[in-house]
Amino acid sequence: MTLDVRPFSGSGAEWDQFIRSSPGWTHCHLWGWKHVLEEGLGHECLFLAAAGSAAQPEAVLPLVRVRSMLFGRYLVSMPFLNYGGPIGSPAGVQALAADAVHRADAERARLLELRSRGPLELNLPVSHRKITVVLDLPIGSADPLWKALDAKVRSQVRRPQKEGVTVAFGLDQLDAFYTVLARHMRDLGTPVQAKRLFRLIADTFPEDVWFGCAYVKGRPVAGGCGFRWGDEFEMTWASALREFNPIAPNMLLYWAFMERAVAHGIRRFNFGRCTPGGGTHRFKRQWGSRDEQLWWYQHGRGGVAATPSPDHGAYAWGPRVWQHLPLALANFLGPHIVRCIP
């Protein structure tokens, strides 16, 4: 049976119903991201479906055009997120991937990247440059998890508690979270997304998104933002102020997120993507977690094998300059730059 690929013509509720009934779905596949990426970042979203004669979709693909004068053209599913590749029947997934390749060639995109959580039956090169780190959670109580932690990790969680660090959760923590994130990203030499993007996320996914912040004497010093879907929670953004590293507020923050996840019946705590072997990877593994390989399928032009990154030699000068910008200037310029780095 021949499958046709066309823009999805149903409602957002119908799209999400298909997604939630498909094995391997993630929060990144949901219809609401179309609104977030179009309104918050100005990118064109092509939410595609592969269907046969019955017109019922067999597979779907949220595909986003990311264009800029500086970095060129990219087609990514999903940009700025970790997952979102085609999902559905093998034949439907293959039809969608073939259509995406055709679109990438026609538009002379530098790279098509389909970010899948697991392997797909696709005849495309795959990048394993990123992994995610996952921790299985106990049922009912966080006590078994606490007892399973290394003694050093437990000590690092107790340290901020002794220093009077407190943690708060809720949508009202967005401003505090962003205050820490913006400062942390500037110090790393990385442009930050606009606060408006996180407000759109909160408005679009109020039941799914969690904001949490750690405080010292009323000052936010560490913050996290992530998403719940199914029986999983992913910490998508996390940051902490360097001057408070000696009391490790980020350790208490992560533990508070884990306790909250257990209390909500969540079975998997996903630390989010990272580069294998880096410092962030080591931080995530200390909790007794395990690595999961990501499968990012690609179709590139001119040998391009990744989206733009400060790790690339051509852009390596950027972080060194960015770290010295006044915070207000970095916060003003950052969103205009990072929206084009998928």
Side-chain angles (χ1 to χ4, degrees), residues 8 24 69-70 104 130 138 155 177 181 183 211 244 275:
F8 183 75
M69 296 285 291
L70 178 60
K130 296 294 182 179
S155 176
F177 157 78
L181 177 72
R183 166 77 179 281
F211 290 95
F244 290 90
T275 301

Side-chain angles (χ1 to χ4, degrees), residues 8 16 25 53 56 85 126 148 206-207 214 218 248 281 318 330:
F8 183 75
D16 285 349
W25 74 280
S53 56
Q56 295 297 319
V126 61
E207 302 299 323
H281 183 205

Side-chain angles (χ1 to χ4, degrees), residues 41-206:
L41 298 175
H43 298 309
E44 183 182 2
C45 296
L46 307 170
F47 275 42
L48 305 173
S53 56
Q56 295 297 319
E58 288 203 13
V60 297
L61 170 65
L63 190 62
V64 182
R65 289 189 175 110
V66 181
R67 302 172 176 174
S68 77
M69 296 285 291
L70 178 60
F71 301 113
R73 300 179 180 183
Y74 292 83
L75 283 173
V76 187
S77 176
M78 288 284 283
F80 317 102
L81 301 171
N82 304 332
Y83 322 115
I87 189 169
S89 72
V93 166
Q94 291 165 10
L96 287 164
D99 182 82
V101 167
H102 176 75
R103 291 175 186 270
D105 288 342
E107 298 176 16
R108 298 183 60 80
R110 298 191 68 194
L111 181 70
L112 164 70
E113 188 162 71
L114 307 176
R115 297 178 174 180
S116 175
R117 181 76 179 266
L120 301 174
E121 296 180 25
L122 296 179
N123 187 26
L124 288 175
V126 61
S127 170
H128 292 309
R129 69 182 187 275
K130 296 294 182 179
I131 60 173
T132 193
V133 181
V134 177
L135 176 67
D136 293 322
L137 299 178
I139 299 174
S141 170
D143 289 345
L145 178 61
W146 177 258
K147 293 176 182 177
L149 294 177
D150 183 83
K152 180 180 178 181
V153 173
R154 292 199 300 268
S155 176
Q156 289 177 314
V157 173
R158 292 192 185 104
R159 175 67 187 276
Q161 290 175 325
K162 294 176 181 178
E163 297 288 340
V165 177
T166 59
V167 178
F169 289 98
L171 296 180
D172 61 348
Q173 297 300 308
L174 190 158
D175 287 343
F177 157 78
Y178 190 81
T179 296
V180 177
L181 177 72
R183 166 77 179 281
H184 176 77
M185 297 299 282
R186 192 283 309 268
D187 292 347
L188 288 177
T190 303
V192 68
Q193 293 283 9
K195 183 188 290 188
R196 180 173 180 269
L197 178 68
F198 293 97
R199 292 203 183 280
L200 278 169
I201 289 172
D203 291 342
T204 305
F205 304 111

